[in-house]
Amino acid sequence: MKNTSLTEKHVALGAKMVPFAGYNMPVQYAGLTQEHHCVRNAVGVFDVSHMGEFWISGPKAFDLIQYATSNDVSKLFDGKVQYSCLPNATGGIVDDLLVYRLNEEMYLLVVNASNIDKDWNHLSELNKEFGATMVNKSEETSLLAVQGPKAAEALQSLTDMNLSEMEYYTFKIGTFAGVENVVVSTTGYTGAGGFEIYFPNENANEMWDKIFAAGAPQGIEPIGLGARDTLRLEMGFCLYGNDINDTTSPLEAGLGWITKFSAPFLNSENLKAQKEAGVTRKLVAFEMIDRGIPRHDYEIGDANGNVVGVVTSGTQSPSLEKAIGLGYVPTAMTALGTEIFILIRGKALKAVVVSLPFFKK
Amino acid sequence: MNFPTELKYTKDHEWVRIEGDIATVGVTDFAQSELGDIVFVEIETQGETLEEHAIFGTVEAVKTVSDLFMPVSGTVVEVNAGLEADPAHVNNDPYGSGWMIKVKLSEGADLSSLLDAAAYEALVG
């Protein structure tokens, strides 16, 4: 089990620690619901240093990333971030990721902790054709996500960067909390606004302390992985390993908007054909009508009692105070308002297909 | 963490208060703390006679679901209706307003496997 540079901080704060993606991570501090509301209404800090960071550089960096990712990297400009995925050769998804362009020959890829080795091997294999320079800095890089409507206000005293003027999905590199060359991006996994801040491990403790001191007037709190999941699910953001995996097509998962056929990528011919033919199942969002909470891997039934799909994520939504979920169903059952049935402990409980996000600001 | 000495406990983290032939049952302070914010308590076994260790209901926290086990053999004679509207009683007052069921003990119900507070505290400590 690996620790992040901040594990001792979490333990000292009384966090409940759980194994996640090979790391000992805080799942909650004061309580999931309280932490969730803190991010929606004010500002909270997540230690997500378990995430992976790959630096891709050189004259072939663009070509490698354009081929390896489904989105169109040519749309990026210096200081811009793009959500994307790594398609595999068989129609599924190796991982979803963020692509940061520093300049036309320097990119940062941020990948899921559980997939660091898989992604590295996959990209290294593809890179045999390209010869870009690849450096895996996952083990040396700490990442704090400071999320919530008061995030800019909480952090502004720590930097000369004008945080409130940064556009969504952009980044700057500069001095932050006295540390040089910090990457600050207007990204996150909560839908609450805020920043993700990348810096070397050796600065982690001072960075944490300075952020909490700066954000005290805004009521800044540490937030665990439990609230991270409820926050992301209220927005309908996919979680790799739940909603998307090696066998789900990005088109089935509602990721057509990051699957751009303007430039060829790995398996793009087959995905293009799939798009033209139409997918047979799709990821839908649903709310429970009957009382019950959907969970990952529960079956989905139709009105005639046939099992037609599977729940990929589910929870009680703290913001909506409703039970919500995502799951795959046949394309014929994806229209908004369609009644579906979630099989919970032997009972078929009624739910209805709704639009995303669940949580509308 | 609070473990009242007048109660008995199980390894499944339920508590039991025995008064005559009626046992009041809930989950322990440790259990509610481990589960986190409880959002739904589902008990549909009212009137049923169940063996010790049988499932009498389920408790759903935001991120997890757990079964509830009979600490003793008996008939479920009452379910705490207050949990329907506000399941957070289980978090806020696990030994009081967070009680879950009342059980009429079966004839000759075996209470010998129940733990006292010290033994339970040693188990979870």
Side-chain angles (χ1 to χ4, degrees):
Chain A
M1 183 86 66
K2 295 182 207 168
N3 287 327
T4 75
S5 299
L6 293 162
T7 298
E8 286 178 18
K9 292 268 186 210
H10 306 316
V11 172
L13 285 164
K16 184 183 296 178
M17 305 296 288
V18 297
F20 181 84
Y23 281 82
N24 186 27
M25 297 298 287
V27 66
Q28 71 168 46
Y29 302 82
L32 192 159
T33 306
Q34 178 182 330
E35 292 166 32
H36 180 105
H37 292 309
C38 180
V39 173
R40 279 271 176 265
N41 301 322
V43 55
V45 182
F46 306 76
D47 176 16
V48 279
S49 300
H50 58 319
M51 302 284 287
E53 292 84 13
F54 302 158
W55 292 84
I56 313 291
S57 61
K60 295 296 181 183
F62 173 88
D63 293 338
L64 169 64
I65 299 166
Q66 188 69 297
Y67 185 69
T69 65
S70 61
N71 211 332
D72 187 351
V73 186
S74 73
K75 302 291 185 195
L76 280 171
F77 48 85
D78 296 355
K80 179 67 181 167
V81 189
Q82 185 178 66
Y83 179 57
S84 194
C85 74
L86 300 174
N88 65 24
T90 54
I93 300 173
V94 178
D95 201 0
D96 62 338
L97 76 165
L98 295 180
V99 180
Y100 290 63
R101 174 171 144 159
L102 284 81
N103 60 56
E104 60 186 338
E105 294 195 1
M106 174 76 82
Y107 299 82
L108 167 63
L109 310 187
V110 181
V111 304
N112 283 299
S114 52
N115 292 333
I116 290 173
D117 291 344
K118 183 177 75 164
D119 293 353
W120 182 260
N121 293 337
H122 174 76
L123 287 167
S124 299
E125 192 63 31
L126 296 181
N127 194 37
K128 288 178 181 170
E129 295 287 318
F130 296 96
T133 302
M134 294 174 50
V135 181
N136 181 358
K137 289 203 178 180
S138 303
E139 298 270 320
E140 308 144 49
T141 306
S142 290
L143 169 56
L144 293 177
V146 182
Q147 299 279 296
K150 296 184 180 175
E153 183 188 333
L155 298 176
Q156 188 59 69
S157 66
L158 297 174
T159 181
D160 291 336
M161 303 174 198
N162 190 330
L163 296 176
S164 59
E165 285 191 355
M166 288 176 66
E167 304 239 354
Y168 191 50
Y169 266 64
T170 62
F171 69 99
K172 290 182 177 175
I173 298 177
T175 302
F176 189 97
V179 180
E180 292 177 0
N181 290 315
V182 174
V183 177
V184 178
S185 62
T186 43
T187 52
Y189 198 41
T190 65
F195 302 87
E196 292 185 297
I197 304 168
Y198 303 80
F199 51 88
N201 287 349
E202 56 262 31
N203 301 116
N205 280 286
E206 62 169 312
M207 187 68 84
W208 178 273
D209 291 342
K210 286 180 178 175
I211 286 172
F212 276 87
Q218 286 75 33
I220 201 165
E221 296 281 348
I223 314 294
L225 292 182
R228 184 171 166 83
D229 192 53
T230 53
L231 287 157
R232 73 92 192 168
L233 187 49
E234 285 183 351
M235 301 309 294
F237 295 155
C238 287
L239 172 61
Y240 194 90
N242 275 38
D243 313 303
I244 52 177
N245 61 39
D246 292 302
T247 66
T248 59
S249 148
L251 301 173
E252 294 171 338
L255 299 178
W257 65 282
I258 60 163
T259 306
K260 300 284 174 60
F261 299 109
S262 43
F265 57 84
L266 178 63
N267 202 41
S268 58
E269 284 301 313
N270 287 329
L271 287 175
K272 194 173 180 186
Q274 185 182 56
K275 183 179 182 181
E276 282 158 8
V279 295
T280 57
R281 62 170 188 167
K282 281 186 188 170
L283 191 66
V284 292
F286 62 87
E287 282 179 7
M288 296 303 297
I289 295 173
D290 290 337
R291 186 92 187 253
I293 301 173
R295 306 286 183 188
H296 180 63
D297 279 346
Y298 284 7
E299 290 176 325
I300 300 176
D302 65 13
N304 300 320
N306 304 306
V307 172
V308 295
V310 64
V311 175
T312 55
S313 287
T315 193
Q316 174 79 6
S317 157
S319 298
L320 305 174
E321 299 185 327
K322 286 179 187 170
I324 59 172
L326 301 175
Y328 284 98
V329 297
T331 303
M333 295 176 65
T334 57
L336 299 184
T338 304
E339 282 188 356
I340 59 176
F341 294 84
I342 312 302
L343 307 182
I344 302 180
R345 293 186 288 279
K347 287 182 291 188
L349 300 180
K350 194 184 288 181
V352 62
V353 174
V354 299
S355 64
L356 286 174
F358 294 105
F359 178 78
K360 296 170 176 75
K361 277 169 259 188
Chain B
M1 205 65 72
N2 177 21
F3 306 108
T5 52
E6 71 274 20
L7 304 179
K8 298 290 188 185
Y9 299 87
T10 72
K11 289 173 181 158
D12 297 319
H13 311 290
E14 274 98 20
W15 58 262
V16 189
R17 177 183 289 117
I18 310 257
E19 292 163 308
D21 63 350
I22 298 292
T24 305
V25 176
V27 299
T28 66
D29 195 15
F30 173 80
Q32 70 78 19
S33 164
E34 286 295 302
L35 287 163
D37 300 317
I38 290 165
V39 291
F40 185 27
V41 179
E42 184 178 53
I43 301 171
E44 297 181 334
T45 48
Q46 181 147 0
E48 292 183 22
T49 300
L50 299 170
E51 293 296 310
E52 184 181 348
H53 305 308
I55 294 169
F56 72 82
T58 53
V59 55
E60 302 244 19
V62 178
K63 292 310 302 171
T64 55
V65 54
S66 287
D67 288 326
L68 297 163
F69 299 97
M70 290 289 279
V72 292
S73 301
T75 304
V76 179
V77 292
E78 190 178 347
V79 173
N80 183 357
L83 300 183
E84 172 77 20
D86 191 3
H89 285 301
V90 178
N91 291 115
N92 300 333
D93 189 11
Y95 304 114
S97 62
W99 69 274
M100 291 179 168
I101 56 170
K102 293 191 187 218
V103 177
K104 186 174 193 315
L105 297 176
S106 296
E107 196 87 7
D110 181 11
L111 308 178
S112 63
S113 64
L114 297 176
L115 307 173
D116 65 19
Y120 179 69
E121 192 167 358
L123 181 75
V124 301

